[in-house]
Amino acid sequence: MSPTHTKAPRWRSMRFIETRAALLFISPWILGFLIFTAWPVINSAYLSLTDYDVINDPSFIGFDNYVTLFQDPKVGLALRNTFVFTVMSVPTQLVVSLGLALLLNSATKATGFFRTAFFLPKMTPPVAVGILLLMLFNGQNGLINSFLGVFGIDGPAWTTDPDWVKPGLVLMSLWTVGSSVVIILAALRGVPQELYDSALVDGAGWWKRTLRITVPMISPTLFFLFIVDSINALQSFTEAYTAFFGAGNTTYSNDAALFYAIYLFQQAFEFLHMGYASALAWLLFIVIMAITGVQILVTRRFVHYEGGNS
């Protein structure tokens, strides 16, 4: 028997052993995914075709929930509020995160301290952020309007004027941009210094270096954050619910803050329309998948990778 024939089975045996070991190590995750993610998703697809109130057994009604969904005016209102919030919040968060990361990258001292300081607000519980929103953006005696009053500016009614509810939520979302700042900062540290040196020799200023070197070189990171932030914004729930719907809150303008995830939660756990809520969840899933697909197709041409492909 030739040496080639003796080595091949041994190589296959080693590969089988390594594959088995790898599957064994990731088996807790596989089981968790199947039990806590895959099964609920499959079950919700079935429940979306039923009339289910948690107390009684689900009864099959076909696509009636989806027909009701497209006739429900609250669904259109919730989708519109969610889309407007997403369009306002995602670019704002990206620009602020990039600006803070550039400041940190240019700092020569205490970078670690400021990096931690920017990230710490991300650890704040979302419920606390919702309560903080009411304290900061109260139209009568909130800190934001008090600060604007120092400069003679009459601040708006952030929590009661429907036109200012979503801008207030967008500004409050900036409280948790610390994780994006840290991610962008890591990408900035990976930009070759030689590129900046060559640009300086050519007489390029800071603004031109940022647009022509920094942004293209970290575009994969910006693209990743753009996708993730969009998905998170489309599922916004806790902060808005705590501020405008928590504990039977009827003081503030609820309709302007009725995001899709909030309406889904109300149908499921307040009205016990679990079948209808499951249909709402699947519509949200399809919308997020469609928007993400469009974002990937439209924006990937602007992404620069180190291999030279866009």
Side-chain angles (χ1 to χ4, degrees):
M1 185 178 292
S2 64
T4 305
H5 292 292
T6 58
K7 288 182 179 179
R10 182 179 301 175
W11 177 80
R12 293 194 186 97
S13 176
M14 289 298 297
R15 185 174 181 180
F16 172 76
I17 293 173
E18 292 175 353
T19 302
R20 186 177 60 181
L23 290 174
L24 181 63
F25 278 113
I26 67 173
S27 60
W29 179 88
I30 294 176
L31 289 174
F33 173 79
L34 292 175
I35 296 173
F36 299 109
T37 301
W39 169 244
V41 168
I42 296 171
N43 194 44
S44 70
Y46 165 71
L47 290 178
S48 70
L49 304 175
T50 66
D51 181 13
Y52 181 45
D53 60 2
V54 180
I55 301 172
N56 302 303
D57 293 334
S59 59
F60 187 80
I61 58 173
F63 292 95
D64 288 358
N65 284 327
Y66 292 95
V67 174
T68 303
L69 184 152
F70 286 105
Q71 296 174 349
D72 189 348
K74 286 283 189 178
V75 173
L77 173 64
L79 280 174
R80 185 166 59 252
N81 287 338
T82 304
F83 289 150
V84 170
F85 174 77
T86 301
V87 170
M88 294 172 64
S89 66
V90 174
T92 304
Q93 290 180 13
L94 278 178
V95 171
V96 172
S97 299
L98 178 59
L100 293 175
L102 288 171
L103 286 175
L104 280 177
N105 192 48
S106 62
T108 56
K109 295 181 180 180
T111 304
F113 168 78
F114 287 109
R115 183 171 60 237
T116 303
F118 282 131
F119 185 80
L120 277 178
K122 180 66 178 179
M123 307 302 293
T124 307
V127 173
V129 176
I131 296 173
L132 188 63
L133 183 148
L134 296 180
M135 296 174 61
L136 293 177
F137 289 89
N138 186 287
Q140 302 298 322
N141 52 12
L143 185 62
I144 300 299
N145 280 1
S146 298
F147 176 76
L148 294 175
V150 174
F151 302 95
I153 301 175
D154 188 14
W158 300 93
T159 56
T160 56
D161 187 345
D163 294 332
W164 285 98
V165 166
K166 282 184 280 293
L169 287 167
V170 170
L171 291 176
M172 202 64 210
S173 69
L174 300 179
W175 177 263
T176 58
V177 298
S179 58
S180 298
V181 172
V182 172
I183 293 173
I184 295 176
L185 179 61
L188 290 173
R189 295 294 171 85
V191 179
Q193 183 61 37
E194 294 81 5
L195 297 177
Y196 293 117
D197 295 338
S198 300
L200 282 173
V201 172
D202 293 338
W206 179 87
W207 185 248
K208 199 168 188 178
R209 294 198 305 271
T210 301
L211 291 180
R212 299 294 180 86
I213 297 176
T214 304
V215 172
M217 290 300 293
I218 67 170
S219 57
T221 300
L222 296 177
F223 176 63
F224 166 76
L225 291 175
F226 179 59
I227 298 294
V228 172
D229 288 348
S230 297
I231 294 173
N232 290 335
L234 290 168
Q235 300 180 85
S236 295
F237 171 77
T238 308
E239 294 86 347
Y241 184 84
T242 303
F244 297 97
F245 298 90
N249 188 346
T250 57
T251 304
Y252 301 102
S253 180
N254 291 358
D255 281 350
L258 182 64
F259 293 155
Y260 192 86
I262 294 176
Y263 187 59
L264 191 158
F265 175 85
Q266 289 176 335
Q267 290 294 327
F269 299 104
E270 293 183 13
F271 309 134
L272 297 182
H273 298 157
M274 282 291 179
Y276 186 53
S278 297
L280 288 170
W282 272 95
L283 176 62
L284 179 61
F285 173 76
I286 293 171
V287 168
I288 290 176
M289 288 290 292
I291 292 176
T292 302
V294 171
Q295 287 175 327
I296 292 174
L297 291 175
V298 172
T299 60
R300 68 180 178 180
R301 69 184 63 181
F302 304 108
V303 179
H304 169 81
Y305 296 100
E306 292 187 11
N309 297 324
S310 299

